[in-house]
Amino acid sequence: MIRLRPSSERGATQTGWLDSRHTFSFNRYLDPAWTSFRSLRVINEDRIAGGGRFDSHPHRDMEILTWILSGALEHEDSTGGRGVLRPGDLQKMSAGTGIFHSEANASPSEPLHLLQIWILPSQRGLKPHYVEKHFPLEERRNRLRLLASPGGRDGSLPVHQSAELWTAVLDEGREVEHPLAADRHAWLQVASGEVELNGILLRAGDGAAASGETALRSRARKTSELLLFDLG
């Protein structure tokens, strides 16, 4: 069974410098039908104007991943992690017992576009931790590349949950397939382009929850970028 989450039905937070779209309930946006999916708690698509900034703020007991689509993100946190992230860079924070961090558009004029993802950890009270890694486009073009997994398999970043995050950039007409075990579920998020998921059309910003499927076949109608979550 595949259940669509259309981009147009997502929640929104808008300020002078931030345009954020919420796949699941977040902050003041509450949708009882879409509070989470399995351990996946947040997918926020953020567009941050030049000079925009989230001042230092706390998190606890959450696996927080940020995937850069365009622009540059300046990051600093209380573990000592800091740097500038660009497209193809993934950062992961285990908030655990508590972490403070700030995020800002590293450019005073160019926009920043990113996806921020929260995954509920398998246990509370973990030691806070920060890690980042670049995944070259050639590793993601027309094939699925593992970005995050328990234990950091195949050069991915480690997450404290039975969850995997994959990505692919597909040329028009290209297809990737991901097998899904009987006890697993999946979420597909289209970052750009148009993708047919098992024959169902998804456009940029759309998501889909999949349960009871044996495999997920994603075919690009035009050049597209997708994120695929394999969840317990």
Side-chain angles (χ1 to χ4, degrees):
M1 181 181 71
I2 295 177
R3 182 186 180 198
L4 292 181
R5 174 56 158 154
S7 171
S8 61
E9 296 179 8
R10 295 179 296 177
T13 297
Q14 293 177 296
T15 70
W17 55 270
L18 172 66
D19 183 350
S20 181
R21 302 299 160 133
H22 315 311
T23 295
F24 304 111
S25 296
F26 184 82
N27 198 10
R28 294 183 177 87
Y29 168 65
L30 176 62
D31 183 343
W34 293 103
T35 58
S36 62
F37 180 70
R38 311 299 296 180
S39 59
L40 185 57
R41 177 61 187 84
V42 167
I43 302 177
N44 286 347
E45 181 180 4
D46 291 348
R47 287 180 165 86
I48 302 171
R53 179 181 184 86
F54 295 99
D55 290 328
S56 185
H57 57 280
H59 294 284
R60 291 180 63 93
D61 293 316
M62 195 67 67
E63 301 288 276
I64 300 173
L65 300 104
T66 304
W67 181 244
I68 310 302
L69 298 172
S70 63
L73 173 72
E74 185 177 359
H75 167 90
E76 185 172 357
D77 68 62
S78 54
T79 71
R82 62 186 304 164
V84 176
L85 303 168
R86 294 180 171 83
D89 290 341
L90 178 70
Q91 74 166 21
K92 190 222 70 173
M93 292 190 301
S94 292
T97 55
I99 194 170
F100 282 79
H101 78 132
S102 63
E103 297 173 300
N105 188 333
S107 169
S109 57
E110 296 299 317
L112 167 63
H113 187 196
L114 60 84
L115 293 174
Q116 185 166 109
I117 298 148
W118 294 7
I119 295 174
L120 295 164
S122 57
Q123 64 187 94
R124 298 173 67 88
L126 295 167
K127 181 180 179 181
H129 181 252
Y130 174 85
V131 64
E132 64 182 60
K133 182 173 180 177
H134 181 69
F135 294 86
L137 179 59
E138 56 266 25
E139 295 183 5
R140 301 178 278 124
R141 184 174 290 281
N142 296 319
R143 57 177 173 167
L144 287 165
R145 173 60 161 104
L146 185 62
L147 297 181
S149 67
R153 188 176 82 253
D154 297 333
S156 62
L157 299 188
V159 290
H160 296 95
Q161 181 54 267
S162 179
E164 298 174 352
L165 170 58
W166 299 77
T167 190
V169 175
L170 301 179
D171 295 328
E172 182 179 351
R174 297 297 295 268
E175 179 177 312
V176 291
E177 181 170 333
H178 180 78
L180 202 60
D183 60 344
R184 304 290 291 183
H185 307 259
W187 183 277
L188 186 82
Q189 188 71 25
V190 179
S192 64
E194 295 182 358
V195 173
E196 290 180 4
L197 174 62
N198 291 7
I200 300 171
L201 177 63
L202 283 77
R203 296 183 171 87
D206 290 349
S211 298
E213 301 288 327
T214 59
L216 299 179
R217 293 170 298 279
S218 302
R219 182 181 183 275
R221 281 196 170 186
K222 56 185 179 182
T223 301
S224 303
E225 182 172 1
L226 60 87
L227 277 74
L228 173 65
F229 299 85
D230 188 319
L231 306 163

